Amino acid sequence: MHPRPRATHHQQQRVRHHAQGLDSQGFFNLLTSPELLDSVESLLPEHRERLFPPTETLSLFLAQAMSTDRSCQKAVNEAAIKRLACGLPNCSTHTGAYCRARQRLPVSMVSALSRQAGRMMTEQAPRAWQWRGRPVRLVDGTMISMPDTPANQRCYPQPNSQKPGLGFPLCRLVGIVCLSSGAVLDAAIGPYNGKGGDEQTLLRSMLSTLHTGDVLIGDAFYATYFLLSELQRRHIDGVFEQYGARKRSTDFNKGVSLGSKDHLVELTKPVRKPRWMSQEQYDQVPATLTVRELYCGGKIMVTTLLNARQTSKADIKQLYRSRWHVELDIRNLKSTLGLEVLSCKTPDMAIKEIWVYLLAYNLIRLLMAQSALLGDCLPRQLSFKHTLQLWGAWRQYHDECDEEQLTSLLLLIAEQRVADRPGRIEPRAVKRRPKTHPLLTQPRPQARRKVAKYGHTKKAK
């Protein structure tokens, strides 16, 4: 038998073996568990019995986030067709009632559900999914574009390098992700420009999400003295790439040698107090900090995992390579789900839309986690887009499903495995040429008046 068919045959045998003794509703029932239902009930606002109550509104909002057509009109049309199919009275296909219902939906409810779904999922994850029995958390940030409205520009202004009327409002999103399950455990949102919008500030607002024994992995932006000190105070280990200024001055001949280009070094607290920190907080930070610096994988790493016998250079290298998963998670959020460009025209609704996307993402991860248990693999080995496509097709034909049907769905999800491509390198460039339309270099109303007066500019030959 060919090696590939042989491996597929053994994989199918393992899946069938696990399916016989597995409760397929395990992870799936987390969404209807008493704990989560109690949270939903406590977060529901006071409301009358309307066509779109809060739970129905949130369900339609989630469907929008998981659909390629994210318009409110499509959501209302689907709700109207569903009522017809169920024999209920007809409802209007105008979007006004649904849009007002979305505005009444509390953002605290959506954000709490997203956080709690992620937390419950990672708590249910098997110990075998962890790194040496320790939970690993990934942190990274990204930019999200909003519609160009005056309200969005006031709260989330465009970059200063762009002229007024030519840019789009931008917000910064920083998230903490569980490495094993891929769930978003927490997120913080701030403006792209101005005070309180940098990644360090947003991460500090979420440190309570981390617990004793966790391992936090991030890129070079997070390897600061004050963050490493705070992580050590909370008994949390960190693994980061060394940032530029420190990287240039790293001297492996100093400190306590642990091996070739591997040493313990004592850092001194910066003399200047950061503006975000109070004097009392600054005084409580220790004067010195012992960290480990090592060169591996073409990078200089800084970590609080100080014992070289327990954690070798090869272990650090392999662990840091897993940081790339958070880049793929951001891609799934922005490109696969469509979070890259928001559609809501007010700041409050835009933030609510972000949390709806995060909740939708966690629900897809929920299916993937259960499928991984069924398929005897890791959740990271399954395809997010494949799961999203199957769920989109499933919800067209099934409102409810029994144990056997859900098991069949999870088996379909577990069939597709992503390829293992270690050390993948790709150019940050696109091959397909964009259309030859010129860039808009003046505010749109002014450009409209110019076209009305002089006509469209002829294309250059």
Side-chain angles (χ1 to χ4, degrees):
M1 184 182 292
H2 191 272
R4 178 63 182 173
R6 185 186 300 115
T8 303
H9 175 70
H10 290 319
Q11 175 183 316
Q12 291 173 348
Q13 285 185 328
R14 290 197 306 270
V15 168
R16 283 194 292 267
H17 171 73
H18 282 266
Q20 292 174 358
L22 184 68
D23 173 19
S24 299
Q25 302 282 350
F27 269 104
F28 199 77
N29 279 344
L30 287 177
L31 295 179
T32 56
S33 64
E35 183 180 353
L36 197 56
L37 286 178
D38 290 343
S39 299
V40 173
E41 292 295 330
S42 64
L43 294 170
L44 283 177
E46 294 185 3
H47 61 281
R48 305 195 313 266
E49 286 301 324
R50 304 171 184 261
L51 180 61
F52 298 108
T55 50
E56 176 69 16
T57 303
L58 179 58
S59 177
L60 291 175
F61 212 160
L62 286 169
Q64 283 183 269
M66 297 184 189
S67 174
T68 54
D69 184 349
R70 298 182 291 163
S71 65
C72 291
Q73 187 64 66
K74 180 177 184 294
V76 173
N77 289 345
E78 286 188 348
I81 293 299
K82 185 176 179 180
R83 289 179 64 88
L84 285 176
C86 295
L88 299 175
N90 294 354
C91 69
S92 172
T93 57
H94 293 292
T95 60
Y98 172 61
C99 291
R100 290 190 293 272
R102 293 203 317 174
Q103 292 174 352
R104 291 190 298 267
L105 198 64
V107 66
S108 58
M109 172 185 173
V110 186
S111 61
L113 285 175
S114 179
R115 291 189 182 100
Q116 191 156 355
R119 178 180 60 82
M120 294 174 66
M121 193 191 322
T122 193
E123 287 176 354
Q124 294 285 333
R127 186 179 176 84
W129 291 0
Q130 298 178 348
W131 180 75
R132 297 184 175 182
R134 301 182 63 180
V136 177
R137 312 305 185 202
L138 310 175
V139 60
D140 205 1
T142 187
M143 305 298 174
I144 299 175
S145 177
M146 300 179 175
D148 190 13
T149 63
N152 285 341
Q153 286 282 12
R154 283 193 297 271
C155 294
Y156 302 97
Q158 66 185 40
N160 296 329
S161 59
Q162 294 177 315
K163 295 181 180 179
L166 299 184
F168 290 91
L170 284 181
C171 75
R172 192 188 306 273
L173 173 69
V174 175
I176 296 178
V177 178
C178 173
L179 173 62
S180 60
S181 65
V184 176
L185 303 180
D186 202 356
I189 304 165
Y192 171 76
N193 290 322
K195 184 178 179 181
D198 61 282
E199 292 189 25
Q200 288 280 346
T201 300
L202 296 176
L203 174 59
R204 285 194 297 272
S205 69
M206 300 184 291
L207 287 179
S208 60
T209 305
L210 304 174
H211 300 95
T212 299
D214 288 355
V215 179
L216 182 66
I217 303 179
D219 57 24
F221 191 80
Y222 299 97
T224 65
Y225 183 96
F226 294 105
L227 178 60
L228 289 170
S229 174
E230 181 63 18
L231 291 179
Q232 280 198 343
R233 187 185 72 82
R234 294 171 180 260
H235 303 286
I236 299 168
D237 283 312
V239 180
F240 309 101
E241 183 179 354
Q242 188 63 279
Y243 62 93
R246 177 68 188 172
K247 183 189 301 183
R248 290 189 293 270
S249 61
T250 299
D251 186 357
F252 287 104
N253 293 320
K254 298 179 180 180
V256 180
S257 177
L258 300 177
S260 176
K261 292 188 177 181
D262 186 359
H263 69 162
L264 297 180
V265 63
E266 190 175 80
L267 305 181
T268 304
K269 180 170 66 173
V271 178
R272 296 182 59 182
K273 178 182 71 65
R275 288 181 296 178
W276 56 266
M277 181 179 283
S278 66
Q279 186 62 46
E280 181 181 0
Q281 291 173 325
Y282 179 78
D283 294 338
Q284 292 176 353
V285 176
T288 60
L289 179 67
T290 300
V291 298
R292 180 183 176 189
E293 293 179 329
L294 62 154
Y295 181 84
C296 61
K299 297 180 174 65
I300 296 179
M301 312 298 300
V302 56
T303 178
T304 56
L305 295 167
L306 307 182
N307 195 322
R309 292 185 177 181
Q310 294 180 356
T311 312
S312 66
K313 289 178 65 173
D315 295 332
I316 298 293
K317 177 183 177 181
Q318 188 66 28
L319 181 60
Y320 188 76
R321 285 177 64 180
S322 64
R323 192 204 70 84
W324 186 250
H325 284 294
V326 75
E327 303 284 355
L328 303 180
D329 296 336
I330 291 175
R331 183 191 67 180
N332 286 328
L333 274 166
K334 297 180 69 174
S335 299
T336 307
L337 283 181
L339 181 60
E340 186 169 12
V341 179
L342 301 178
S343 57
C344 292
K345 298 182 180 180
T346 62
D348 292 342
M349 286 300 299
I351 299 303
K352 194 181 304 181
E353 186 179 5
I354 291 175
W355 279 109
V356 167
Y357 272 102
L358 294 178
L359 178 56
Y361 172 86
N362 275 350
L363 297 185
I364 296 299
R365 283 292 179 187
L366 197 63
L367 289 172
M368 295 173 65
Q370 178 62 14
S371 297
L373 285 177
L374 187 63
D376 190 24
C377 64
L378 298 176
R380 292 292 186 180
Q381 295 177 285
L382 301 181
S383 168
F384 182 89
K385 190 170 186 178
H386 173 67
T387 307
L388 179 64
Q389 291 171 341
L390 286 176
W391 178 249
W394 178 272
R395 59 181 293 270
Q396 293 182 15
Y397 303 102
H398 295 81
D399 289 331
E400 298 179 358
C401 55
D402 57 23
E403 176 83 15
E404 184 177 353
Q405 290 176 326
L406 180 57
T407 300
S408 299
L409 172 63
L410 297 177
L411 288 174
L412 290 176
I413 293 174
E415 280 186 356
Q416 294 289 341
R417 307 290 174 89
V418 295
D420 183 19
R421 293 176 286 186
R424 180 184 179 190
I425 298 176
E426 294 290 346
R428 291 191 173 182
V430 293
K431 180 178 178 181
R432 192 174 298 280
R433 272 50 177 172
K435 294 182 179 181
T436 57
H437 294 298
L439 296 176
L440 187 65
T441 57
Q442 55 188 331
R444 191 172 296 275
Q446 182 179 341
R448 287 198 190 102
R449 291 193 295 269
K450 186 175 180 181
V451 171
K453 186 174 182 179
Y454 300 106
H456 290 282
T457 304
K458 294 183 180 179
K459 293 183 180 180
K461 295 183 180 180

